[in-house]
Coordinates of all heavy atoms in Angstrom, one line a residue:
T28 N 48.4 129.5 40.3 CA 47.3 128.8 40.9 C 46.8 127.6 40.0 O 45.8 127.0 40.4 CB 46.2 129.7 41.3 OG1 45.7 130.4 40.1 CG2 46.6 130.8 42.3
L32 N 50.3 123.0 37.1 CA 51.6 123.7 37.3 C 52.0 123.4 38.8 O 53.2 123.1 39.1 CB 51.6 125.1 36.9 CG 51.4 125.4 35.5 CD1 51.3 127.0 35.2 CD2 52.6 124.9 34.7
H34 N 51.1 121.0 40.7 CA 51.4 119.6 40.8 C 52.8 119.3 40.3 O 53.6 118.5 41.0 CB 50.4 118.7 40.1 CG 50.6 117.2 40.2 ND1 51.4 116.5 39.4 CD2 50.2 116.4 41.2 CE1 51.5 115.3 39.7 NE2 50.7 115.1 40.8
T40 N 59.8 119.2 43.8 CA 60.4 119.3 45.1 C 60.5 118.0 45.8 O 61.6 117.8 46.4 CB 59.4 120.2 45.9 OG1 59.1 121.5 45.3 CG2 60.0 120.5 47.3
V48 N 68.3 112.7 49.9 CA 68.5 111.5 50.7 C 69.5 110.6 50.0 O 70.2 109.9 50.7 CB 67.1 110.8 50.8 CG1 67.3 109.4 51.4 CG2 66.2 111.6 51.6
P79 N 82.8 99.5 56.7 CA 81.6 99.0 56.1 C 81.4 97.5 56.2 O 80.3 97.1 56.1 CB 81.9 99.4 54.6 CG 82.8 100.6 54.7 CD 83.7 100.3 55.8
S102 N 79.9 100.4 76.2 CA 79.6 99.0 76.6 C 80.6 98.1 76.0 O 81.0 98.3 74.8 CB 78.2 98.6 76.1 OG 78.0 97.3 76.2
N117 N 68.5 102.9 67.1 CA 67.9 104.1 66.7 C 68.8 105.0 66.0 O 70.0 105.2 66.6 CB 67.2 104.8 67.9 CG 65.9 104.1 68.4 OD1 65.0 104.0 67.7 ND2 66.0 103.5 69.6
T148 N 57.5 120.4 57.3 CA 58.4 119.4 57.7 C 57.8 118.0 57.6 O 56.8 117.7 58.1 CB 58.9 119.6 59.1 OG1 59.5 120.9 59.3 CG2 59.9 118.6 59.6
L197 N 49.7 86.2 50.5 CA 48.6 86.9 51.1 C 47.5 87.1 50.1 O 47.7 87.1 49.0 CB 49.1 88.3 51.6 CG 50.2 88.2 52.7 CD1 50.7 89.7 52.9 CD2 49.7 87.7 54.0
T233 N 32.4 81.8 77.0 CA 32.3 80.5 76.7 C 30.9 80.0 76.4 O 30.1 80.1 77.3 CB 33.0 79.5 77.8 OG1 34.3 80.0 78.1 CG2 33.0 78.1 77.4
Q253 N 34.7 113.7 73.3 CA 36.1 113.8 72.8 C 36.2 115.0 71.9 O 35.2 115.7 71.4 CB 36.4 112.6 72.0 CG 36.7 111.4 72.9 CD 37.0 110.1 72.0 OE1 36.5 110.0 70.9 NE2 37.8 109.2 72.5
N259 N 27.1 115.0 74.3 CA 26.4 114.1 75.3 C 24.9 114.2 75.1 O 24.3 115.2 75.2 CB 26.8 114.5 76.7 CG 26.4 113.5 77.8 OD1 25.7 112.5 77.4 ND2 26.8 113.6 79.0
Q276 N 40.5 103.9 57.8 CA 41.8 104.7 57.7 C 43.0 103.9 58.2 O 44.0 103.8 57.5 CB 41.6 105.9 58.6 CG 42.9 106.8 58.6 CD 42.9 107.7 59.8 OE1 42.7 107.4 60.9 NE2 43.2 109.0 59.5
G307 N 25.7 122.0 61.9 CA 25.9 122.8 63.1 C 24.8 122.5 64.2 O 24.9 123.0 65.3
I312 N 21.5 111.2 64.2 CA 21.5 110.4 62.9 C 21.4 108.9 63.3 O 21.5 108.5 64.4 CB 22.8 110.7 62.1 CG1 24.0 110.2 62.9 CG2 22.9 112.1 61.7 CD1 25.3 110.2 62.1
G355 N 35.0 91.9 58.2 CA 35.7 92.2 59.4 C 35.6 93.6 59.8 O 36.5 94.1 60.6
V364 N 16.6 105.3 70.9 CA 17.3 106.6 70.9 C 18.8 106.3 71.1 O 19.6 107.3 71.4 CB 16.8 107.5 72.0 CG1 15.4 107.9 71.7 CG2 16.9 106.9 73.4
L384 N 29.9 91.6 71.3 CA 31.0 92.5 71.8 C 30.6 93.9 71.4 O 30.7 94.3 70.3 CB 32.3 92.0 71.1 CG 33.5 92.8 71.5 CD1 33.7 92.8 73.0 CD2 34.8 92.3 70.9
T400 N 37.0 99.0 80.3 CA 36.7 97.6 80.3 C 36.1 97.1 81.5 O 35.1 96.2 81.5 CB 38.0 96.8 79.9 OG1 39.0 97.1 80.9 CG2 38.5 97.1 78.6

Side-chain angles (χ1 to χ4, degrees):
T28 57
L32 292 176
H34 183 269
T40 306
V48 171
S102 173
N117 290 295
T148 299
L197 298 171
T233 301
Q253 287 178 330
N259 194 349
Q276 178 199 47
I312 61 172
V364 296
L384 180 55
T400 54

